[in-house]
Amino acid sequence: MKCEGFSQITDLVDYLDNNRLIAHYCGFDITKELPSYWTYDRFIRNLDNEILQDVMHSQVLRLAELGIIDTSFIALDSTPVSANTKHNNPKSFVNNKFSKENPIALFDDSDIAKRYGKKFEDLDQVIDASSQNKEVVSGYHVCEAAILTENEKQPMSIYSKIYSCKSDGFKSKNDYTIKSIDKVIEVIGNKRKDKNDNEKIDMVFDRGYDCNQIIKYVDDSDNYFVIRMQDRRNFLFKGKKKNCHEIAIKRKGKIKMNVWFEDEEKECYVSHTKVMMPFNKKDYELVIVYGLSEDHPMILLTNRTIHSKEDVIKVVRLYFSRWRIEEYFRIKKQEYDFENMR
């Protein structure tokens, strides 16, 4: 009897794809396409862990009844683990942990809610993103930056700063964002301004970072960015000043693709066009994603050059990799009780 353990869903997907007989024994119809990563992810999210524990418990008892396993003794095992080396110490940011070509950096501005706190120092007002109605409560802001590891594509936090706009010495939120960008560049170890295209970092931001200062700062660092645009953003389009949604509704999504959005896999259509930023008169690519919302299409801005359908899909995939840092921060709050600081 052989047991396999998997720490990542991607490992399980690869194993079953390459071992169809095992997939058959697991109950899958191997004459059809096996479930995707997102199907497993959704299953694990939606299933109560107690159900899995009950299943495991009943299976162990059944195996004991059949005489396949012996329950007369308990075996313990151990293995040495090397510590404090640059290869397995998460605090040691060696370059080979990240992709050699276009490493992906994710940025997030989250919050720590302290809705019942009254005596905390420099207590600020924040939007509680975890609340159903996005309530404004007492709390602190958190500026987070993470780089995806090369193989598992897991976010490794390299900058995390809790701050309050009411603190002495506070300059601006952009000041913390710029420090997080600098930290990413420092960790990757490539500060040159004449990088090859595949050496540039892909920096991914949500619409809270739609700001001329941030766009200029990343652009001047000779790295790539993908930023979701706010509804009020205007561009110069064919020589005239136009709102981003005015540009979007006059185009049609010709590229079909599937993305993971709001805890489910959705089909969408994508288009792109060139626009100019009024503040610096530079051309950028506007990537428009239709079908994810009934209200407005999703609009992304990038300084990546787009020549093909694959280039457009690459930009969309980069933006949707952001869910990894949001998931990381959710786990940080729920599993490590991050909000329960004193």
Side-chain angles (χ1 to χ4, degrees):
M1 181 177 178
K2 181 182 179 183
C3 294
E4 294 284 351
F6 303 98
S7 60
Q8 304 289 337
I9 297 175
T10 49
D11 295 336
L12 173 63
V13 173
D14 291 341
Y15 181 82
L16 292 178
D17 277 342
N18 295 315
N19 297 273
R20 291 304 177 105
L21 183 60
I22 302 297
H24 170 71
Y25 288 146
C26 289
F28 295 109
D29 184 352
I30 58 175
T31 64
K32 299 178 180 179
E33 186 176 357
L34 295 181
S36 67
Y37 169 93
W38 306 112
T39 302
Y40 289 113
D41 183 75
R42 186 166 57 250
F43 173 77
I44 291 172
R45 286 170 181 266
N46 295 337
L47 187 67
D48 190 336
N49 185 257
E50 290 186 0
I51 297 176
L52 293 178
Q53 293 181 24
D54 290 342
V55 170
M56 178 65 76
H57 181 70
S58 64
Q59 291 301 307
V60 170
L61 294 178
R62 180 59 178 159
L63 290 173
E65 290 175 3
L66 296 174
I68 296 175
I69 61 175
D70 185 358
T71 59
S72 61
F73 64 92
I74 297 174
L76 300 177
D77 192 14
S78 63
T79 184
V81 177
S82 300
N84 297 323
T85 70
K86 69 177 182 178
H87 295 291
N88 60 23
N89 185 351
K91 294 183 179 180
S92 176
F93 302 111
V94 293
N95 287 340
N96 60 10
K97 288 184 178 181
F98 313 119
S99 174
K100 303 294 186 299
E101 295 188 3
N102 301 128
I104 301 172
L106 311 175
F107 297 83
D108 190 50
D109 186 14
S110 191
D111 62 86
I112 294 177
K114 289 291 182 183
R115 60 178 64 232
Y116 304 114
K118 295 185 182 299
K119 296 184 179 181
F120 286 99
E121 185 178 0
D122 298 329
L123 202 59
D124 206 344
Q125 294 294 298
V126 299
I127 298 175
D128 185 1
S130 59
S131 64
Q132 188 173 3
N133 298 319
K134 301 293 187 289
E135 303 170 77
V136 176
V137 300
S138 298
Y140 298 98
H141 302 279
V142 181
C143 179
E144 193 92 34
I147 306 174
L148 294 186
T149 56
E150 181 172 16
N151 296 322
E152 294 83 7
K153 302 301 181 187
Q154 295 301 312
M156 178 177 287
S157 178
I158 54 91
Y159 183 90
S160 185
K161 181 69 175 179
I162 301 171
Y163 67 92
S164 168
C165 299
K166 297 182 178 180
S167 298
D168 291 338
F170 171 80
K171 295 180 181 179
S172 68
K173 291 184 178 181
N174 284 348
D175 181 56
Y176 290 105
T177 301
I178 287 172
K179 289 177 180 176
S180 68
I181 293 170
D182 288 341
K183 187 63 177 179
V184 166
I185 295 172
E186 176 190 339
V187 168
I188 296 298
N190 192 349
K191 298 183 179 181
R192 293 188 296 106
K193 293 293 184 70
D194 57 342
K195 307 178 188 70
N196 297 324
D197 286 347
N198 62 358
E199 293 179 318
K200 297 181 180 182
I201 306 168
D202 279 312
M203 300 188 181
V204 185
F205 305 85
D206 202 8
R207 54 187 156 190
Y209 295 91
D210 177 10
C211 166
N212 293 343
Q213 184 182 3
I214 300 303
I215 291 171
K216 183 179 186 303
Y217 195 82
V218 179
D219 218 5
D220 289 347
S221 73
D222 198 26
N223 288 294
Y224 291 133
F225 65 76
V226 177
I227 304 178
R228 184 176 177 182
M229 296 288 96
Q230 297 188 32
D231 292 346
R232 65 175 183 269
R233 170 60 75 175
N234 295 317
F235 297 100
L236 294 176
F237 182 67
K238 296 182 179 180
K240 297 181 179 180
K241 186 177 179 180
K242 291 190 177 183
N243 179 264
C244 59
H245 285 290
E246 185 182 356
I247 299 170
I249 60 176
K250 293 184 178 179
R251 304 188 65 82
K252 295 181 179 179
K254 296 182 179 179
I255 301 172
K256 180 181 175 181
M257 63 182 295
N258 290 341
V259 297
W260 185 256
F261 182 71
E262 294 183 346
D263 294 332
E264 63 178 316
E265 193 172 17
K266 289 189 177 183
E267 183 179 271
C268 64
Y269 293 85
V270 186
S271 179
H272 73 98
T273 187
K274 283 190 179 297
V275 294
M276 180 180 287
M277 293 293 280
F279 81 93
N280 63 0
K281 300 298 188 291
K282 287 187 67 173
D283 287 332
Y284 296 96
E285 294 283 354
L286 203 66
V287 177
I288 308 157
V289 185
Y290 303 89
L292 300 180
S293 169
E294 295 181 359
D295 299 328
H296 297 293
M298 179 181 291
I299 301 175
L300 310 175
L301 186 75
T302 183
N303 58 347
R304 275 182 157 272
T305 302
I306 293 180
H307 295 295
S308 65
K309 168 185 173 182
E310 289 71 26
D311 292 337
V312 179
I313 292 175
K314 170 77 172 179
V315 171
V316 178
R317 295 283 184 218
L318 280 170
Y319 177 76
F320 280 98
S321 67
R322 277 201 75 261
W323 71 268
R324 293 179 181 273
I325 194 171
E326 292 179 354
E327 185 68 6
Y328 156 78
F329 202 78
R330 183 186 66 81
I331 293 172
K332 193 173 177 179
K333 283 184 174 182
Q334 295 181 359
E335 300 298 328
Y336 296 97
D337 211 13
F338 185 56
E339 284 187 311
N340 192 28
M341 66 171 188
R342 292 289 186 269

